[in-house]
């Protein structure tokens, strides 16, 4: 029979784990990790240039410099799997200042996620930037590893419930701890990668960048997983100690 304290700890840990997993899943599937604020379109020449950038962004070949410049100039947002820009919904980009803006997105395909980054974006002769390349790959792989660990923990927990045993609880707690660390590492890799990108690709004048809500969701999910891990480890260790005490008492 499970003590009420352990049962309460397990229920709270499950709630924290579900919240963390939902937050991380939403963060991975949305594009608001980093967002740019660009000046409004001014004049026909500026509108033509921006339209050309937009068409290259939507239909051109994948190139880091091309899509980065477009994100800088068209109020772009970029996440782990998506890159989006805000463009006018009508044909006249500069003739109608009050025109409603529409969000247009392109996804990063799996081969694009593994495309190497260069020391000078767009210049393939400048040499591969190993640090940025592996930071990008880590920010893409680590959240998948985190979600995989949580799924494994959930399957283990279901088996433990069917067997009516608290023995696997310690392992489930360790899996949650690893998931939290993977999520935290994802955020760190993403921030480091964006900082390095801005060092090699200077932002245009009057363009500002800021962190988006998707990144904050991922950041919140990390301590939630760690708190769930702490409760699970505590419940497992305390139950084990009480069990051995009761066994020793009965033997005595």
């Amino acid at each position: 029979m499970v003590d009420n304290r352990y049962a309460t700890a397990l229920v709270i840990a499950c709630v924290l784990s579900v919240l963390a997993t939902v937050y991380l899943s939403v963060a991975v599937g949305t594009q608001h990790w980093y967002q740019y604020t660009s000046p409004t379109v001014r004049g026909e020449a500026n509108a033509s240039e921006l339209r050309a950038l937009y068409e290259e962004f939507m239909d051109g070949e994948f190139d880091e410099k091309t899509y980065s410049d477009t994100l800088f100039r068209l109020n772009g947002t970029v996440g782990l799997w998506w890159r989006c820009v805000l463009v006018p919904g009508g044909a006249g980009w500069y003739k109608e200042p009050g025109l409603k803006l529409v969000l247009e997105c392109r996804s990063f395909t799996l081969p694009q996620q593994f495309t190497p980054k260069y020391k000078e974006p767009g210049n393939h002769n400048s040499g591969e930037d190993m640090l940025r390349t592996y930071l990008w790959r880590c920010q893409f792989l680590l959240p998948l590893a985190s979600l995989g660990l949580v799924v494994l923990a959930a399957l283990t927990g279901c088996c433990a419930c069917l067997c009516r045993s608290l023995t696997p609880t310690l392992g489930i707690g360790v899996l949650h701890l690893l998931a939290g660390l993977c999520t935290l590492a994802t955020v760190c890799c993403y921030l480091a990668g964006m900082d390095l990108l801005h060092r090699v690709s200077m932002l245009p004048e009057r363009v500002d960048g800021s962190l988006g809500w998707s990144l904050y969701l991922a950041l919140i999910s990390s301590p939630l997983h760690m708190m769930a891990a702490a409760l699970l480890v505590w419940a497992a260790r305390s139950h084990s100690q009480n069990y051995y005490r009761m066994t020793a008492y009965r033997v005595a």
Side-chain angles (χ1 to χ4, degrees):
M1 185 173 178
V2 180
D3 189 283
N4 287 337
R5 294 175 301 168
Y6 308 144
T8 303
L10 292 176
V11 170
I12 295 174
C14 289
V15 172
L16 292 174
S17 177
V18 170
L19 285 175
T21 305
V22 171
Y23 287 169
L24 180 58
S25 300
V26 172
V28 171
T30 52
Q31 73 276 8
H32 297 280
W33 283 65
Y34 202 90
Q35 54 197 19
Y36 299 97
T37 304
S38 314
T40 56
V41 179
R42 296 182 181 277
E44 183 175 0
N46 184 225
S48 299
E49 179 186 356
L50 295 181
R51 183 184 291 277
L53 281 174
Y54 165 70
E55 291 175 351
E56 183 68 19
F57 176 82
M58 296 301 296
D59 303 321
E61 295 184 1
F62 179 78
D63 181 77
E64 184 184 23
K65 179 172 176 55
T66 300
Y67 77 73
S68 296
D69 289 344
T70 308
L71 293 173
F72 296 160
R73 302 287 300 277
L74 291 175
N75 297 288
T77 56
V78 59
L80 302 182
W81 284 95
W82 295 93
R83 56 191 191 276
C84 303
V85 292
L86 278 174
V87 295
W93 282 37
Y94 70 98
K95 295 179 181 178
E96 304 176 40
L99 200 62
K100 183 180 179 181
L101 297 178
V102 178
L103 189 67
E104 297 284 352
C105 297
R106 289 291 307 273
S107 64
F108 292 106
T109 64
L110 192 60
Q112 289 171 357
Q113 295 281 17
F114 290 95
T115 301
K117 308 297 180 184
Y118 297 97
K119 295 178 180 178
E120 296 179 11
N123 183 4
H124 294 190
N125 296 323
S126 61
E128 183 178 351
D129 191 330
M130 299 298 292
L131 179 57
R132 289 204 306 123
T133 297
Y134 283 99
L135 283 174
W136 182 275
R137 293 175 183 176
C138 286
Q139 77 183 30
F140 148 66
L141 293 171
L142 285 173
L144 301 182
S146 179
L147 292 173
L149 289 168
V150 174
V151 171
L152 179 60
L155 293 175
T156 307
C158 290
C159 294
C161 290
L162 292 175
C163 298
R164 298 183 179 181
S165 172
L166 276 178
T167 304
T169 307
L170 180 61
I172 297 172
V174 172
L175 290 174
H176 277 82
L177 177 61
L178 293 175
L181 292 175
C182 285
T183 304
L184 182 61
T186 299
V187 175
C188 293
C189 289
Y190 187 87
L191 293 175
M194 293 303 295
D195 180 66
L196 291 174
L197 173 63
H198 294 155
R199 292 185 184 182
V200 296
S201 298
M202 298 299 294
L203 291 178
E205 187 179 356
R206 295 188 298 161
V207 173
D208 297 319
S210 61
L211 304 180
W213 58 264
S214 297
L215 184 141
Y216 288 114
L217 277 183
L219 196 58
I220 292 171
S221 73
S222 177
L224 290 179
H225 272 138
M226 293 181 182
M227 286 189 286
L231 287 171
L232 290 166
V233 170
W234 173 82
R237 293 295 301 276
S238 299
H239 177 76
S240 177
Q241 290 174 0
N242 286 344
Y243 175 79
Y244 287 127
R245 287 172 185 170
M246 289 296 296
T247 302
Y249 175 76
R250 290 174 182 176
V251 171

